[in-house]
Amino acid sequence: MRYVSTRGGIEPVTFSQAVMMGLATDGGLLLPERFPQVDDETLKRWAGLPFKELAVEVMLPFVGEDLSRDELTDLVERSYATFSHPEVTPVVEACDQHILELFHGPTAAFKDVALQFLGNLFELLLERSGGRLNIIGATSGDTGSAAIYGVRGQERIDIFILHPKGRVSPIQERQMTTVLDENVHNIAIKGTFDDGQRIVKTLFSDLAFKKDYRLGAVNSINWARILAQVVYYFYAWGRISGGDTEQKATFSVPTGNFGDIFAGYVALRMGLPVERLILATNRNDILSRFVNTGVYQAGEVYPTISPSMDIQISSNFERYLYFLMDEDPNRVCQLMEQMASEGKLEVPLEKQAEVQRLFVASAVDEDQTRQQIQETYQACGYILDPHTAVGVYAARKYPGSVCLATAHPAKFGAAVKEAIGVESEPPPSLQGLMEKESRCEELEADAAAVKAYIKSTLAR
Ligand SMILES: *Cc1c(COP(=O)(O)O)cnc(C)c1O
């Protein structure tokens, strides 16, 4: 399997190259040249498989010659051994919906599904090449902790995560800073999340520094993250259909960067029987506006009770645009240029109709989110986290949907308590965090200061 860029400016690369490259060198995003096709007989067989076995089957055709079946099996085993539920991503029933619980990993949010895998994959590829990697990222909460747990203790990787001091929730801060492995470096900057992102961008655009220090990124543009997420769409379908290929599923996905829902689109393109994809956003609604109007235009970012979706520009959207534009990189380039110069892009009417044949979208506000947490709790005793509640609210007209549960409710306990008056029991991974020893460096919100810290840390 080879990978191409949405902007058409690179020679096709292998799976390993795609994983190490992250963003394509022409500024586009990497995609497999074509999707492996899954026939009905295979779907039936896959429907009976446990998660880890299924993960190997789904991912194997994408890794090409780069990993043997045994190597992939070993990676998958180790990546999901850290999940506390024997089914890894179980499907449970709540009122008239199926809930796909994706939060049983070490940081209690769905990003663990991809980042546990990516961390181990990086380690394997680096062992082979004899190289090292320094991961640098800025976080507003969830991604940082999931990335840290993905690579903690690995010998060939150091990770530096910037978070805005005092501006992430106490649980999120402690999740990051109580990881004491030598290769984990938390930096609290005296500034905002935007300052953190700006600093990371500055460091990455310093090409000499980037090369000398082998900087790597872990944001959701990495193809391996999408790939790992494709698995649970097949898994959930198998659980609710029992392998009956006449049964199509509707998935409701709380969406920010379009990574999770794009994985659902990939599953569909491989042959999974999908009826529709419900794209659920909070008040930060650029993507739901796109589905409903064909115009993609950023607005202001509003803070909400589902903070991991407080995003206006979605880094994975370009991947979908590529398929919508019939895999023509020139048209993608035109649209992205339009976006850069005018701050918006618009697709033709017939394309808008194509979008709406598959996606339905809604933007769910905070009152509706709290109302959904309340109603689901009262009607069937199940506690939704605010992100998941956004998806469940958006799926109201579609009973029998698979609603992706992207975080454990205890992780966003304050919002949950406000809605239903009780807090959800924290999973073992979130217990005792406040008492644990922690380590964190405090720095000014200044790229030069962060760079100096990275250099001196790595010189030790
Ligand atoms: C990251 C995140 C999302 C959004 O996922 P995308 O892949 O960015 O669309 C939703 N819910 C939670 C809890 C998250 O951490």
Side-chain angles (χ1 to χ4, degrees):
M1 179 71 71
R2 295 193 310 167
Y3 289 80
V4 295
S5 163
T6 50
R7 306 217 181 154
I10 63 162
E11 288 299 314
V13 296
T14 64
F15 173 74
S16 319
Q17 288 169 323
V19 171
M20 296 315 290
M21 203 183 270
L23 191 70
T25 44
D26 64 356
L29 299 180
L30 293 159
L31 281 167
E33 233 167 8
R34 81 201 105 71
F35 291 121
Q37 294 301 301
V38 182
D39 59 19
D40 281 6
E41 206 176 302
T42 309
L43 277 172
K44 284 199 177 84
R45 188 160 47 81
W46 285 6
L49 293 181
F51 182 91
K52 291 178 202 162
E53 284 175 40
L54 177 65
V56 173
E57 300 301 328
V58 171
M59 294 200 245
L60 193 60
F62 286 98
V63 305
E65 320 267 273
D66 289 12
L67 300 178
S68 68
R69 178 180 276 272
D70 284 351
E71 283 172 320
L72 181 60
T73 304
D74 175 59
L75 272 185
V76 164
E77 283 292 335
R78 285 191 288 123
S79 301
Y80 300 113
T82 55
F83 279 59
S84 62
H85 197 286
E87 279 198 66
V88 185
T89 63
V91 179
V92 304
E93 308 303 316
C95 304
D96 55 357
Q97 304 290 22
H98 310 284
I99 307 284
L100 171 57
E101 293 185 342
L102 302 173
F103 51 70
H104 295 287
T107 73
F110 94 101
K111 290 186 174 71
D112 289 327
V113 179
L115 283 164
Q116 286 290 303
F117 178 74
L118 181 64
N120 288 318
L121 179 60
F122 272 150
E123 182 76 355
L124 177 80
L125 297 179
L126 291 169
E127 265 166 26
R128 271 191 197 165
S129 66
R132 295 193 50 83
L133 190 67
N134 293 305
I135 292 170
I136 300 184
T139 188
S140 57
D142 271 358
T143 308
S145 56
I148 286 171
Y149 274 83
V151 303
R152 64 182 298 181
Q154 295 193 346
E155 283 179 7
R156 294 176 176 276
I157 299 177
D158 277 276
I159 183 166
F160 296 84
I161 294 292
L162 282 62
H163 70 264
K165 180 177 155 57
R167 295 182 198 231
V168 299
S169 81
I171 285 194
Q172 286 176 324
E173 186 197 319
R174 302 293 297 188
Q175 275 188 307
M176 295 189 279
T177 58
T178 57
V179 180
L180 301 177
D181 299 75
E182 273 179 28
N183 69 329
V184 172
H185 316 284
N186 279 288
I187 304 172
I189 54 159
K190 297 174 193 159
T192 62
F193 170 60
D194 291 335
D195 291 328
Q197 274 204 313
R198 185 176 43 72
I199 293 170
V200 170
K201 269 200 186 146
T202 308
L203 297 182
F204 272 89
S205 58
D206 181 342
L207 293 182
F209 183 64
K210 185 175 174 200
K211 190 158 156 278
D212 291 349
Y213 284 85
R214 301 220 178 92
L215 302 193
V218 280
N219 44 17
S220 68
I221 51 152
N222 196 302
W223 169 253
R225 282 188 61 174
I226 306 286
L227 178 58
Q229 292 171 191
V230 174
V231 176
Y232 49 69
Y233 285 89
F234 281 94
Y235 185 77
W237 176 81
R239 285 299 167 279
I240 66 161
S241 70
D244 173 3
T245 52
E246 300 289 307
Q247 268 201 54
K248 290 186 168 186
T250 288
F251 293 92
S252 183
V253 189
T255 296
N257 264 321
F258 205 79
D260 205 4
I261 199 165
F262 183 74
Y265 178 76
V266 172
L268 163 82
R269 293 290 302 253
M270 291 171 70
L272 185 71
V274 174
E275 177 78 37
R276 105 177 30 81
L277 295 172
I278 300 173
L279 188 158
T281 66
N282 62 26
R283 189 179 169 198
N284 298 290
D285 62 349
I286 180 170
L287 286 166
S288 44
R289 276 186 285 120
F290 170 74
V291 171
N292 294 321
T293 66
V295 179
Y296 182 77
Q297 179 173 27
E300 198 182 324
V301 180
Y302 301 102
T304 73
I305 55 170
S306 47
S308 301
M309 291 151 55
D310 293 347
I311 282 163
Q312 279 291 351
I313 292 293
S314 288
S315 49
N316 271 291
F317 178 66
E318 186 173 331
R319 285 195 160 109
Y320 174 65
L321 211 52
Y322 176 78
F323 291 104
L324 188 62
M325 293 297 127
D326 308 311
E327 303 178 37
D328 179 351
N330 296 324
R331 293 179 74 189
V332 174
C333 288
Q334 273 165 15
L335 287 171
M336 296 318 289
E337 275 159 26
Q338 196 187 345
M339 186 72 202
S341 61
E342 296 165 32
K344 69 170 183 180
L345 65 82
E346 187 166 1
V347 299
L349 268 184
E350 80 271 10
K351 293 296 179 190
Q352 195 185 323
E354 187 182 328
V355 173
Q356 290 173 352
R357 274 197 293 279
L358 175 61
F359 293 93
V360 293
S362 48
V364 177
D365 70 26
E366 290 183 290
D367 285 342
Q368 292 166 328
T369 307
R370 279 187 284 259
Q371 181 195 341
Q372 187 63 57
I373 296 173
Q374 231 167 44
E375 282 184 23
T376 303
Y377 182 61
Q378 277 161 8
C380 51
Y382 187 86
I383 304 181
L384 302 169
D385 105 284
H387 303 79
T388 309
V390 165
V392 173
Y393 190 94
R396 282 178 163 223
K397 276 192 257 164
Y398 307 95
S401 296
V402 177
C403 297
L404 276 60
T406 53
H408 192 288
K411 194 163 182 181
F412 297 93
V416 169
K417 185 157 189 197
E418 202 190 324
I420 59 175
V422 294
E423 270 183 54
S424 147
E425 173 74 17
S429 62
L430 297 183
Q431 284 172 20
L433 277 180
M434 293 304 166
E435 292 78 51
K436 279 189 184 163
E437 190 188 336
S438 69
R439 194 181 73 221
C440 183
E441 182 74 18
E442 218 176 281
L443 294 176
E444 296 298 327
D446 169 40
V450 174
K451 189 166 155 182
Y453 173 74
I454 293 173
K455 283 185 171 176
S456 69
T457 304
L458 292 173
R460 282 210 295 272

Short mmCIF file of all heavy atoms in Angstrom, two decimals, residues 403-449:
data_model
loop_
_atom_site.label_atom_id
_atom_site.label_comp_id
_atom_site.label_asym_id
_atom_site.label_seq_id
_atom_site.Cartn_x
_atom_site.Cartn_y
_atom_site.Cartn_z
N CYS A 403 -23.81 5.76 19.02
CA CYS A 403 -23.28 7.06 19.45
C CYS A 403 -21.90 6.85 20.04
O CYS A 403 -21.75 6.09 21.00
CB CYS A 403 -24.21 7.70 20.48
SG CYS A 403 -25.85 8.06 19.84
N LEU A 404 -20.90 7.51 19.50
CA LEU A 404 -19.54 7.33 19.99
C LEU A 404 -19.37 8.09 21.31
O LEU A 404 -19.60 9.30 21.36
CB LEU A 404 -18.52 7.82 18.95
CG LEU A 404 -18.16 6.79 17.85
CD1 LEU A 404 -19.38 6.38 17.05
CD2 LEU A 404 -17.08 7.32 16.93
N ALA A 405 -18.98 7.36 22.36
CA ALA A 405 -18.75 7.98 23.67
C ALA A 405 -17.26 8.28 23.76
O ALA A 405 -16.44 7.38 23.93
CB ALA A 405 -19.20 7.06 24.79
N THR A 406 -16.91 9.57 23.64
CA THR A 406 -15.50 9.93 23.47
C THR A 406 -14.75 10.23 24.76
O THR A 406 -13.54 10.35 24.75
CB THR A 406 -15.35 11.12 22.50
OG1 THR A 406 -16.19 12.19 22.97
CG2 THR A 406 -15.76 10.74 21.09
N ALA A 407 -15.46 10.40 25.87
CA ALA A 407 -14.76 10.61 27.14
C ALA A 407 -15.55 10.00 28.29
O ALA A 407 -16.78 9.88 28.22
CB ALA A 407 -14.53 12.09 27.42
N HIS A 408 -14.84 9.61 29.34
CA HIS A 408 -15.52 9.12 30.54
C HIS A 408 -16.14 10.32 31.27
O HIS A 408 -15.50 11.37 31.38
CB HIS A 408 -14.49 8.43 31.45
CG HIS A 408 -15.14 7.66 32.56
ND1 HIS A 408 -15.74 8.28 33.63
CD2 HIS A 408 -15.30 6.33 32.74
CE1 HIS A 408 -16.23 7.35 34.45
NE2 HIS A 408 -15.98 6.17 33.93
N PRO A 409 -17.39 10.18 31.75
CA PRO A 409 -18.05 11.33 32.39
C PRO A 409 -17.29 11.89 33.60
O PRO A 409 -17.38 13.09 33.88
CB PRO A 409 -19.42 10.78 32.81
CG PRO A 409 -19.32 9.30 32.71
CD PRO A 409 -18.28 9.01 31.68
N ALA A 410 -16.51 11.05 34.28
CA ALA A 410 -15.77 11.56 35.45
C ALA A 410 -14.67 12.54 35.05
O ALA A 410 -14.21 13.34 35.85
CB ALA A 410 -15.18 10.39 36.23
N LYS A 411 -14.25 12.48 33.82
CA LYS A 411 -13.21 13.38 33.36
C LYS A 411 -13.73 14.81 33.25
O LYS A 411 -12.97 15.77 33.33
CB LYS A 411 -12.67 12.90 32.01
CG LYS A 411 -11.38 13.56 31.64
CD LYS A 411 -10.64 12.83 30.54
CE LYS A 411 -9.34 13.57 30.27
NZ LYS A 411 -8.56 12.96 29.21
N PHE A 412 -15.03 14.94 33.04
CA PHE A 412 -15.66 16.27 32.97
C PHE A 412 -16.73 16.37 34.05
O PHE A 412 -17.87 16.76 33.81
CB PHE A 412 -16.20 16.50 31.55
CG PHE A 412 -15.10 16.50 30.53
CD1 PHE A 412 -14.74 15.34 29.85
CD2 PHE A 412 -14.35 17.64 30.30
CE1 PHE A 412 -13.68 15.32 28.95
CE2 PHE A 412 -13.29 17.64 29.41
CZ PHE A 412 -12.96 16.48 28.73
N GLY A 413 -16.30 15.97 35.27
CA GLY A 413 -17.21 15.81 36.39
C GLY A 413 -18.00 17.06 36.74
O GLY A 413 -19.17 16.96 37.11
N ALA A 414 -17.38 18.24 36.63
CA ALA A 414 -18.08 19.46 37.04
C ALA A 414 -19.30 19.72 36.16
O ALA A 414 -20.39 20.01 36.66
CB ALA A 414 -17.12 20.65 36.98
N ALA A 415 -19.14 19.58 34.84
CA ALA A 415 -20.27 19.80 33.92
C ALA A 415 -21.36 18.76 34.14
O ALA A 415 -22.56 19.06 34.09
CB ALA A 415 -19.79 19.77 32.48
N VAL A 416 -20.94 17.54 34.43
CA VAL A 416 -21.90 16.46 34.65
C VAL A 416 -22.69 16.73 35.94
O VAL A 416 -23.92 16.61 35.98
CB VAL A 416 -21.18 15.09 34.72
CG1 VAL A 416 -22.10 14.00 35.23
CG2 VAL A 416 -20.61 14.72 33.35
N LYS A 417 -21.96 17.14 36.97
CA LYS A 417 -22.62 17.41 38.25
C LYS A 417 -23.62 18.55 38.12
O LYS A 417 -24.71 18.51 38.70
CB LYS A 417 -21.57 17.74 39.31
CG LYS A 417 -22.19 17.90 40.68
CD LYS A 417 -21.21 17.67 41.79
CE LYS A 417 -22.01 17.64 43.10
NZ LYS A 417 -21.18 17.83 44.26
N GLU A 418 -23.26 19.55 37.35
CA GLU A 418 -24.16 20.68 37.14
C GLU A 418 -25.46 20.22 36.49
O GLU A 418 -26.54 20.72 36.77
CB GLU A 418 -23.46 21.70 36.25
CG GLU A 418 -24.02 23.10 36.38
CD GLU A 418 -23.46 24.03 35.31
OE1 GLU A 418 -22.27 23.86 34.95
OE2 GLU A 418 -24.23 24.87 34.84
N ALA A 419 -25.36 19.23 35.61
CA ALA A 419 -26.55 18.76 34.89
C ALA A 419 -27.41 17.83 35.73
O ALA A 419 -28.63 17.91 35.69
CB ALA A 419 -26.13 18.06 33.59
N ILE A 420 -26.81 16.91 36.48
CA ILE A 420 -27.62 15.89 37.15
C ILE A 420 -27.45 15.86 38.67
O ILE A 420 -28.07 15.04 39.34
CB ILE A 420 -27.35 14.48 36.58
CG1 ILE A 420 -25.86 14.09 36.73
CG2 ILE A 420 -27.78 14.38 35.13
CD1 ILE A 420 -25.55 12.66 36.31
N GLY A 421 -26.60 16.73 39.21
CA GLY A 421 -26.47 16.80 40.65
C GLY A 421 -25.58 15.74 41.27
O GLY A 421 -25.30 15.80 42.46
N VAL A 422 -25.13 14.78 40.49
CA VAL A 422 -24.20 13.79 41.03
C VAL A 422 -22.99 13.68 40.12
O VAL A 422 -23.05 14.05 38.96
CB VAL A 422 -24.83 12.37 41.15
CG1 VAL A 422 -25.93 12.33 42.17
CG2 VAL A 422 -25.32 11.87 39.80
N GLU A 423 -21.88 13.20 40.71
CA GLU A 423 -20.70 12.99 39.89
C GLU A 423 -20.58 11.52 39.57
O GLU A 423 -21.02 10.67 40.34
CB GLU A 423 -19.45 13.48 40.62
CG GLU A 423 -19.17 14.94 40.32
CD GLU A 423 -17.90 15.44 40.98
OE1 GLU A 423 -16.86 14.80 40.78
OE2 GLU A 423 -17.97 16.46 41.68
N SER A 424 -19.99 11.24 38.44
CA SER A 424 -19.82 9.85 38.06
C SER A 424 -18.59 9.28 38.79
O SER A 424 -17.64 10.00 39.08
CB SER A 424 -19.67 9.81 36.54
OG SER A 424 -18.83 8.80 36.14
N GLU A 425 -18.64 8.02 39.13
CA GLU A 425 -17.52 7.35 39.82
C GLU A 425 -16.30 7.32 38.89
O GLU A 425 -16.37 6.83 37.77
CB GLU A 425 -17.98 5.92 40.16
CG GLU A 425 -16.92 4.99 40.72
CD GLU A 425 -16.56 5.34 42.16
OE1 GLU A 425 -17.34 6.07 42.83
OE2 GLU A 425 -15.50 4.88 42.60
N PRO A 426 -15.15 7.88 39.32
CA PRO A 426 -14.00 7.89 38.42
C PRO A 426 -13.43 6.50 38.19
O PRO A 426 -13.43 5.67 39.11
CB PRO A 426 -12.98 8.78 39.13
CG PRO A 426 -13.44 8.90 40.54
CD PRO A 426 -14.88 8.54 40.61
N PRO A 427 -12.96 6.21 36.99
CA PRO A 427 -12.31 4.93 36.73
C PRO A 427 -10.96 4.91 37.47
O PRO A 427 -10.46 5.97 37.84
CB PRO A 427 -12.09 4.93 35.21
CG PRO A 427 -12.05 6.37 34.83
CD PRO A 427 -12.92 7.09 35.81
N PRO A 428 -10.38 3.72 37.69
CA PRO A 428 -9.14 3.62 38.46
C PRO A 428 -8.06 4.58 37.96
O PRO A 428 -7.32 5.16 38.76
CB PRO A 428 -8.70 2.16 38.23
CG PRO A 428 -9.95 1.43 37.87
CD PRO A 428 -10.87 2.41 37.23
N SER A 429 -7.99 4.80 36.65
CA SER A 429 -6.91 5.65 36.11
C SER A 429 -7.02 7.10 36.58
O SER A 429 -6.05 7.84 36.57
CB SER A 429 -6.92 5.61 34.59
OG SER A 429 -8.14 6.13 34.10
N LEU A 430 -8.22 7.53 36.97
CA LEU A 430 -8.39 8.92 37.41
C LEU A 430 -8.38 9.05 38.92
O LEU A 430 -8.49 10.15 39.46
CB LEU A 430 -9.70 9.51 36.87
CG LEU A 430 -9.86 9.63 35.35
CD1 LEU A 430 -11.18 10.30 35.00
CD2 LEU A 430 -8.71 10.39 34.72
N GLN A 431 -8.24 7.92 39.63
CA GLN A 431 -8.29 8.00 41.09
C GLN A 431 -6.93 8.32 41.70
O GLN A 431 -5.91 7.89 41.18
CB GLN A 431 -8.82 6.67 41.66
CG GLN A 431 -10.33 6.55 41.48
CD GLN A 431 -10.85 5.17 41.84
OE1 GLN A 431 -10.19 4.43 42.57
NE2 GLN A 431 -12.03 4.83 41.34
N GLY A 432 -6.96 9.10 42.75
CA GLY A 432 -5.74 9.38 43.50
C GLY A 432 -4.77 10.32 42.79
O GLY A 432 -3.63 10.50 43.24
N LEU A 433 -5.20 10.93 41.69
CA LEU A 433 -4.30 11.79 40.93
C LEU A 433 -3.79 12.97 41.74
O LEU A 433 -2.64 13.37 41.63
CB LEU A 433 -5.02 12.35 39.69
CG LEU A 433 -5.07 11.46 38.44
CD1 LEU A 433 -5.82 12.19 37.34
CD2 LEU A 433 -3.67 11.10 37.97
N MET A 434 -4.69 13.52 42.56
CA MET A 434 -4.34 14.74 43.29
C MET A 434 -3.24 14.50 44.33
O MET A 434 -2.52 15.41 44.68
CB MET A 434 -5.58 15.33 43.97
CG MET A 434 -6.60 15.85 42.98
SD MET A 434 -5.85 17.07 41.89
CE MET A 434 -7.06 17.19 40.60
N GLU A 435 -3.13 13.26 44.80
CA GLU A 435 -2.14 12.97 45.85
C GLU A 435 -0.79 12.56 45.28
O GLU A 435 0.20 12.51 46.00
CB GLU A 435 -2.65 11.84 46.77
CG GLU A 435 -3.85 12.21 47.63
CD GLU A 435 -5.16 12.19 46.85
OE1 GLU A 435 -5.42 11.17 46.17
OE2 GLU A 435 -5.92 13.18 46.89
N LYS A 436 -0.77 12.23 44.00
CA LYS A 436 0.47 11.70 43.43
C LYS A 436 1.55 12.76 43.29
O LYS A 436 1.26 13.94 43.14
CB LYS A 436 0.19 11.12 42.04
CG LYS A 436 -0.40 9.73 42.06
CD LYS A 436 -0.41 9.19 40.65
CE LYS A 436 -1.08 7.83 40.57
NZ LYS A 436 -1.45 7.50 39.19
N GLU A 437 2.79 12.31 43.27
CA GLU A 437 3.91 13.21 43.02
C GLU A 437 3.83 13.71 41.57
O GLU A 437 3.37 12.99 40.70
CB GLU A 437 5.21 12.40 43.20
CG GLU A 437 6.47 13.23 43.21
CD GLU A 437 7.72 12.35 43.19
OE1 GLU A 437 7.63 11.17 43.62
OE2 GLU A 437 8.75 12.85 42.74
N SER A 438 4.28 14.95 41.35
CA SER A 438 4.21 15.47 39.98
C SER A 438 5.48 16.23 39.62
O SER A 438 6.29 16.59 40.49
CB SER A 438 3.00 16.40 39.83
OG SER A 438 3.22 17.58 40.57
N ARG A 439 5.67 16.46 38.33
CA ARG A 439 6.85 17.19 37.86
C ARG A 439 6.47 18.05 36.67
O ARG A 439 5.78 17.57 35.75
CB ARG A 439 7.93 16.19 37.43
CG ARG A 439 9.31 16.83 37.26
CD ARG A 439 10.35 15.83 36.80
NE ARG A 439 10.14 15.49 35.41
CZ ARG A 439 10.24 14.28 34.91
NH1 ARG A 439 10.55 13.28 35.69
NH2 ARG A 439 10.04 14.05 33.63
N CYS A 440 6.88 19.31 36.69
CA CYS A 440 6.51 20.21 35.61
C CYS A 440 7.44 21.42 35.62
O CYS A 440 7.81 21.91 36.68
CB CYS A 440 5.06 20.66 35.81
SG CYS A 440 4.45 21.70 34.49
N GLU A 441 7.83 21.87 34.45
CA GLU A 441 8.69 23.05 34.33
C GLU A 441 7.81 24.25 33.99
O GLU A 441 6.94 24.15 33.13
CB GLU A 441 9.71 22.81 33.21
CG GLU A 441 10.70 23.92 33.00
CD GLU A 441 11.78 23.97 34.09
OE1 GLU A 441 11.95 22.95 34.80
OE2 GLU A 441 12.42 25.02 34.22
N GLU A 442 8.05 25.37 34.66
CA GLU A 442 7.25 26.55 34.36
C GLU A 442 8.09 27.52 33.53
O GLU A 442 9.21 27.85 33.91
CB GLU A 442 6.87 27.22 35.69
CG GLU A 442 5.48 27.78 35.69
CD GLU A 442 5.15 28.34 37.06
OE1 GLU A 442 4.83 27.52 37.95
OE2 GLU A 442 5.23 29.56 37.24
N LEU A 443 7.57 27.96 32.39
CA LEU A 443 8.35 28.84 31.51
C LEU A 443 7.49 30.01 31.04
O LEU A 443 6.26 29.93 31.01
CB LEU A 443 8.85 28.07 30.29
CG LEU A 443 9.87 26.95 30.49
CD1 LEU A 443 10.16 26.26 29.17
CD2 LEU A 443 11.16 27.48 31.10
N GLU A 444 8.19 31.10 30.64
CA GLU A 444 7.50 32.21 30.01
C GLU A 444 6.93 31.75 28.66
O GLU A 444 7.47 30.82 28.05
CB GLU A 444 8.46 33.38 29.75
CG GLU A 444 9.05 34.01 31.00
CD GLU A 444 8.00 34.65 31.91
OE1 GLU A 444 6.99 35.17 31.37
OE2 GLU A 444 8.16 34.60 33.13
N ALA A 445 5.88 32.40 28.18
CA ALA A 445 5.29 32.04 26.88
C ALA A 445 6.15 32.63 25.76
O ALA A 445 5.77 33.58 25.10
CB ALA A 445 3.86 32.55 26.80
N ASP A 446 7.30 32.01 25.57
CA ASP A 446 8.29 32.59 24.68
C ASP A 446 9.04 31.46 23.99
O ASP A 446 9.61 30.57 24.64
CB ASP A 446 9.23 33.46 25.54
CG ASP A 446 10.45 33.92 24.76
OD1 ASP A 446 10.30 34.26 23.58
OD2 ASP A 446 11.56 33.89 25.34
N ALA A 447 9.06 31.48 22.65
CA ALA A 447 9.64 30.37 21.88
C ALA A 447 11.11 30.16 22.24
O ALA A 447 11.57 29.01 22.36
CB ALA A 447 9.48 30.61 20.38
N ALA A 448 11.85 31.26 22.42
CA ALA A 448 13.28 31.12 22.71
C ALA A 448 13.49 30.40 24.05
O ALA A 448 14.38 29.55 24.19
CB ALA A 448 13.95 32.49 22.74
N ALA A 449 12.65 30.70 25.03
CA ALA A 449 12.78 30.07 26.34
C ALA A 449 12.48 28.57 26.24
O ALA A 449 13.18 27.74 26.84
CB ALA A 449 11.82 30.73 27.34
#
